[in-house]
Amino acid sequence: MEYIINLFILFAIYGILAISLNIVVGYTGLLSLAQAAFYGVGAYATAILMTKFDMNFFFTVIIGMIVCALIGFIIGAILSKFKGDYYAIVSAGLTIIIFNTLLNCEGLTNGPIGIFGIGRPTLFGFSFSSNINFLILCVLTLSAIYYLNKHLVNSSFGRVLKGIREDERLVRVMGHHRKTPKMLSFVFSASLTSVAGSLFASYLMFIDPMTFQLHEAIFIFTIIIVGGLADLKGSMLGAVIMISLPEILRFLGLPQETAAQLQQLIYGLLLVVLMYIRPQGILGKYRM
Amino acid sequence: MSGILNTKNLSMHFMGVKAVDDLTVSFPAGLATGLVGPNGCGKTTLFNLISGVYDPTAGEIFIRDKGFTRIKCTKLRDLKIARTFQDCRLISQLSVEDNIMLAISKTGTYDSILEVGTEDYEEFLDHILETISLSHKRHELAENLSYGQRKLLEIGRALASNADIYLLDEPFSGLFPEIVEKIKSIINDLKAKHKTIILVEHNIALIKEICDNVVVMDAGKLLKQGKAEEVFADEKVKHAYLGE
Ligand SMILES: Nc1ncnc2c1ncn2[C@@H]1O[C@H](COP(=O)(O)OP(=O)(O)OP(=O)(O)O)[C@@H](O)[C@H]1O
Ligand SMILES: [Mg+2]
């Protein structure tokens, strides 16, 4: 039972990561690999503020969101000049920079050793320390983020985002802006990603920089490609599939070594097959 | 300056190509003006300058007597100018309805975030979809439409913007007679509402039928401007354009 609860907590956290990335990639058409950076900043904001400043978890979430929004704003201002491959490369650069900062600012982040003893959230005397309570918190957060994004993508603003991913010029001729929406979708996504980071840090109660590398950004990217671009339910489905896969392999009783390699193989195969038969992903509504 | 839309010494040079060359021309308000000339004479480029797709190399554009050295394309809606594209530009992975809504929905960031659904525009949308005979395709993706339907949708989107000035770049090209008639009647409706129309079209018979005035361009320059019968009777025009 405990095992299932743990699995569902991961589903929820990766669901949040995938939904917020989908806003930028699936709806706005910007190939962002910056997701691991904001995930890391959120996680470290909670870890540092809770362990060193004894701050309440929920305050750390808000501060993490603000910090990520600010970073997103600065990077977004630079990024919104780019599209396509350039966007991917520059945004991957941010993930690498943040990873190296987490690794090297030892005074603040403990460097490669990581931060231990991060607590679970409490609110008005109610504690989310048991895994089942923590799961409830994760599911509530995921639902809130899902409905917030659902509103966004169904609004006129969402329509403009979808227009931008295909033909920026045309959208401008229709009287809409181009830079502000691109920027806003990036900043919005960054601050939601931070929430997933906070939950992750508090869930494991320990974090180190290794989690927040480029391969994590690529993993989240894969989730939305499998689940479906420009579909929020698809993001959640993708998270469930991609998180479950290694667990299923584990159940097959394969030796650790073989399972790890097989997992990479299956991820790769899954992507290739999917790109071939259904390029928009399982539930997706947009083909790149 | 007589027209609602005028250009003064307007030029657009691409590397050595003078696509529009020192063009001074005037388009009268409330009338349909045909814009004709051989392939590559700069008709589409003129539309691109008026709609802010390119910034002119030199010269000025006057809209309702207000002068611009360049026009920001995001301001087009405020200037009440709508255009269609020769190569038919739609957002292919959006529905017919959403393509039209792009021309109607609010443009401010905060307003547009708060605006969900199409209820406020339902009647207007229905009317436009009916006009372009695409009511049954309302939720179809634009990429799944036939060529003729795509052309109609583009016109529908232009109508949706409720502009005063319509720049139509070869709206009839490659269409079945049935759809040509449909678009003709849409343009006639606009004329009846005293909208200003600039129509690029190679078929002289259609121009004569629809347009009150004609502007003939050649190699980026103005060759002749005036009433349709006069212009087409002109020796210079016959020689340069009609090849007579
Ligand atoms: N973006 C561009 N870059 C370089 N040259 C261009 C560009 N756009 C147009 N031209 C050139 O400018 C000239 C005028 O082109 P334009 O498309 O305006 O002609 P047109 O009158 O619309 O022709 P058609 O009847 O074939 O549509 C052509 O020589 C064309 O090659
Ligand atoms: Mg042309």
Side-chain angles (χ1 to χ4, degrees), chain B residues 69-82:
Chain B
T69 52
R70 60 178 284 248
I71 289 173
K72 265 182 99 169
C73 56
T74 46
K75 289 275 169 277
L76 224 50
R77 208 202 267 199
D78 299 335
L79 290 169
K80 292 198 144 285
I81 297 177

Side-chain angles (χ1 to χ4, degrees), chain B residues 136-151:
Chain B
H136 60 301
K137 295 277 182 186
R138 184 173 186 149
H139 299 294
E140 190 70 68
L141 293 187
E143 65 183 357
N144 297 334
L145 298 181
S146 70
Y147 176 72
Q149 288 168 333
R150 289 171 60 83
K151 281 280 209 196

Side-chain angles (χ1 to χ4, degrees), chain A residues 57-194:
Chain A
F57 172 81
F58 294 94
F59 281 123
T60 72
V61 172
I62 293 169
I63 294 177
M65 289 175 78
I66 293 172
V67 173
C68 280
L70 284 176
I71 298 175
F73 185 78
I74 296 163
I75 301 297
I78 303 167
L79 279 174
S80 59
K81 294 193 170 59
F82 299 102
K83 234 194 148 166
D85 307 346
Y86 293 107
Y87 201 98
I89 292 166
V90 180
S91 60
L94 180 68
T95 289
I96 293 167
I97 291 169
I98 295 286
F99 167 68
N100 281 299
T101 309
L102 297 177
L103 197 63
N104 295 312
C105 279
E106 295 189 11
L108 201 60
T109 66
N110 283 357
I113 302 162
I115 298 178
F116 293 86
I118 307 161
R120 287 282 170 92
T122 52
L123 187 65
F124 305 124
F126 183 83
S127 164
F128 293 92
S129 60
S130 73
N131 277 349
I132 183 75
N133 283 356
F134 193 77
L135 174 61
I136 292 171
L137 178 67
C138 288
V139 171
L140 287 177
T141 312
L142 174 64
S143 319
I145 288 178
Y146 172 80
Y147 284 104
L148 192 64
N149 281 290
K150 196 172 156 188
H151 170 89
L152 188 80
V153 301
N154 288 332
S155 68
S156 293
F157 184 78
R159 192 185 298 111
V160 172
L161 294 182
K162 293 175 214 165
I164 286 176
R165 75 188 171 191
E166 262 184 65
D167 192 341
E168 284 185 8
R169 170 80 72 184
L170 183 65
V171 169
R172 295 185 67 212
V173 171
M174 298 294 115
H176 303 281
H177 295 283
R178 159 189 58 146
K179 283 190 187 145
T180 318
K182 278 167 84 173
M183 174 85 170
L184 213 66
S185 91
F186 191 71
V187 169
F188 183 68
S189 153
S191 58
L192 293 185
T193 307
S194 168

Side-chain angles (χ1 to χ4, degrees), chain A residues 20-53:
Chain A
S20 36
L21 181 63
N22 217 341
I23 294 298
V24 175
V25 179
Y27 289 95
T28 321
L30 305 168
L31 304 178
S32 170
L33 288 172
Q35 198 70 348
F38 298 119
Y39 186 33
V41 170
Y44 269 87
T46 290
I48 294 168
L49 293 172
M50 280 184 87
T51 57
K52 300 204 169 151
F53 298 89

